[in-house]
Amino acid sequence: MSVELEAILERIESDSTLTRGMVEKLIRDVGKPLTLMEVCGTHTHAISKTGIRRALAGKVRLLSGPGCPVCVTADAEIDRFIALSRMPDVVVTTFGDMLHVPGSESSLANERDQGRDIRIVYSPLDVLKMAQSEPAKEFCFLGVGFETTAPTILATVKEARNRGITNFSICTAFKLIPPALRMIAAHPDLAIHGFILPGHVSAIIGSEPYRFLVDEFKRPCVITGFEGADILQALLMITNQIKEDEPRLEIQYKRVVTKEGNKAALKIMDKMCDVKDSMWRGLGTIPESELKLKEVWKDFDAEHKFSLPPLEHRERFDTNGCRCGDVLLGKIIPPDCPLFAKTCSPSNPIGPCMVSSEGACAAYYKYER
């Protein structure tokens, strides 16, 4: 075993005997090289940080998927957020990782530098306090995220109604993971043998929404946690399914994820939202992949409150040579982009995959250069 691999094993987990055995078994058991996709951005960072990708090079090729909510927010949606910030007496509030994501011509960071009232918050509940203390202004929270974050933001909308706070709204860009995976599994140019499914999203939706990956596309799938040992165990489970020629949907992350998911979170999404088609950066328009507030909640929907025009269906993710779209789709890995670690870096991000803390380009830049 090489000195480099020894060092990687020591980083993967404190119990190096366990990780050594799993890595050696994977190297020994994998015959024909496999291409797998880790869907979640947190998994991408864990795989890069621990060195799992390098430890299994030549045996298992791990591609990053569209599991970074900031990264898949379309440029047209960013332009909509910017348009809101330019309206008189409108305060745009957001989590910090949205600030530098490029739209077609600007970003929220650029707009804030020009004097727009754009505020970073750590919880949507913070916005309710602002709205109460500054009643002459309209406060809009940018509802960006997957099934993990949508329930808490929707609960904040309910709380605003309960408190009678009328100068609060959300601009929704809630994306749903399973429809994106359906598109990727059906893509004619992608030969992905199996999926490492996200732990956080699955804690909310459970395992059954992924059933189609096994039943229709015959892809092995494992929902896993975020420690090095979790990911290695998931890889072993996937390779066992492939060896047995029996694709299954399995849960490695049983300490958090159940088959049924979080029933309270699922209920609030079902009661408050309709499912609509949505644009994803790099993936185009995906049917039934977004949550939008129902008509009964329109007074808290920024699209209705501010009479925002419909989103223009366009994509500019390849502007200036940026290939974030291909990274999100699994067509390439970040170093294949001509801008990576040259003109594009965390201090000068060209695309959203370098902007976000969950982005694949940021992970590769930090750990795999």
Side-chain angles (χ1 to χ4, degrees):
M1 187 174 292
S2 70
V3 174
E4 181 186 12
L5 183 52
E6 290 277 3
I8 290 171
L9 288 171
E10 291 299 326
R11 288 203 303 274
I12 290 175
E13 204 68 38
S14 59
D15 187 351
S16 60
T17 302
L18 172 64
T19 57
R20 183 187 306 275
M22 288 193 285
V23 169
E24 290 178 345
K25 182 172 175 55
L26 282 163
I27 292 174
R28 183 175 63 249
D29 289 357
V30 174
K32 184 180 178 181
L34 299 176
T35 297
L36 307 178
M37 175 175 280
E38 84 272 1
V39 177
C40 177
T42 308
H43 281 148
T44 295
H45 275 252
I47 289 167
S48 294
K49 181 178 180 179
T50 56
I52 288 174
R53 198 185 324 272
R54 293 188 296 281
L56 299 176
K59 290 289 186 176
V60 180
R61 185 178 185 226
L62 290 165
L63 299 175
S64 303
C68 164
V70 173
C71 302
V72 299
T73 302
D75 71 314
E77 293 174 312
I78 302 297
D79 289 347
R80 170 174 278 187
F81 301 158
I82 289 169
L84 277 169
S85 75
R86 294 173 176 174
M87 293 182 177
D89 298 319
V90 173
V91 181
V92 168
T93 60
T94 179
F95 297 137
D97 52 3
M98 288 300 302
L99 207 59
H100 295 278
V101 180
S104 59
E105 297 177 354
S106 184
S107 68
L108 291 171
N110 291 337
E111 297 300 314
R112 190 171 69 169
D113 290 345
Q114 294 175 33
R116 316 296 182 195
D117 197 346
I118 299 170
R119 307 182 193 180
I120 305 301
V121 297
Y122 296 98
S123 165
L125 287 172
D126 296 340
V127 187
L128 297 189
K129 297 176 185 177
M130 296 176 185
Q132 286 180 306
S133 63
E134 301 177 62
K137 296 181 178 180
E138 284 284 346
F139 285 81
C140 180
F141 180 76
L142 306 183
V144 173
F146 296 133
E147 295 93 335
T148 315
T149 54
T152 56
I153 296 171
L154 294 172
T156 304
V157 173
K158 288 186 67 176
E159 183 65 17
R161 173 174 282 183
N162 291 340
R163 295 190 200 176
I165 301 173
T166 59
N167 60 328
F168 168 80
S169 61
I170 64 172
C171 190
T172 59
F174 297 133
K175 302 287 196 290
L176 303 176
I177 283 289
L181 294 184
R182 174 178 288 279
M183 188 274 286
I184 288 172
H187 199 290
D189 298 332
L190 301 177
I192 296 170
H193 299 111
F195 290 91
I196 301 170
L197 296 174
H200 294 142
V201 166
S202 302
I204 301 296
I205 68 174
S207 61
E208 289 309 292
Y210 308 112
R211 177 65 58 185
F212 68 92
L213 289 170
V214 174
D215 292 348
E216 296 180 37
F217 296 100
K218 311 304 179 186
R219 299 291 202 282
C221 300
V222 177
I223 299 167
T224 189
F226 303 97
E227 302 296 328
D230 287 331
I231 295 167
L232 287 172
Q233 186 180 7
L235 292 173
L236 285 170
M237 293 166 73
I238 290 174
T239 56
N240 284 338
Q241 292 183 38
I242 292 172
K243 280 199 318 183
E244 296 166 3
D245 195 22
E246 186 181 343
R248 297 185 294 275
L249 173 58
E250 296 183 298
I251 304 173
Q252 182 275 338
Y253 202 27
K254 290 182 178 179
R255 59 188 185 273
V256 173
V257 176
T258 64
K259 180 179 178 180
E260 298 80 14
N262 185 318
K263 294 181 180 179
L266 292 170
K267 182 177 180 180
I268 194 170
M269 289 190 287
D270 183 61
K271 290 189 69 173
M272 293 185 66
C273 294
D274 293 319
V275 178
K276 305 288 186 181
D277 298 349
S278 178
M279 282 183 290
W280 293 56
R281 187 185 294 258
L283 279 69
T285 298
I286 301 178
E288 299 186 340
S289 64
E290 183 172 2
L291 295 177
K292 286 290 189 183
L293 286 171
K294 290 180 181 288
E295 178 75 10
V296 69
W297 296 97
K298 66 181 182 181
D299 291 343
F300 296 93
D301 188 339
E303 185 173 351
H304 169 80
K305 178 176 274 193
F306 301 105
S307 301
L308 299 177
L311 289 174
E312 180 184 346
H313 286 245
R314 53 191 163 85
E315 271 300 341
R316 295 172 59 95
F317 59 84
D318 58 351
T319 300
N320 299 323
C322 170
R323 295 191 64 188
C324 275
D326 288 337
V327 171
L328 293 165
L329 194 56
K331 284 187 174 181
I332 65 170
I333 60 174
D336 294 334
C337 176
L339 307 186
F340 178 78
K342 298 180 180 72
T343 55
C344 184
S345 67
S347 60
N348 182 46
I350 305 299
C353 296
M354 189 66 85
V355 171
S356 173
S357 60
E358 294 186 10
C361 294
Y364 273 77
Y365 187 93
K366 186 172 183 179
Y367 300 115
E368 299 201 47
R369 286 189 297 151

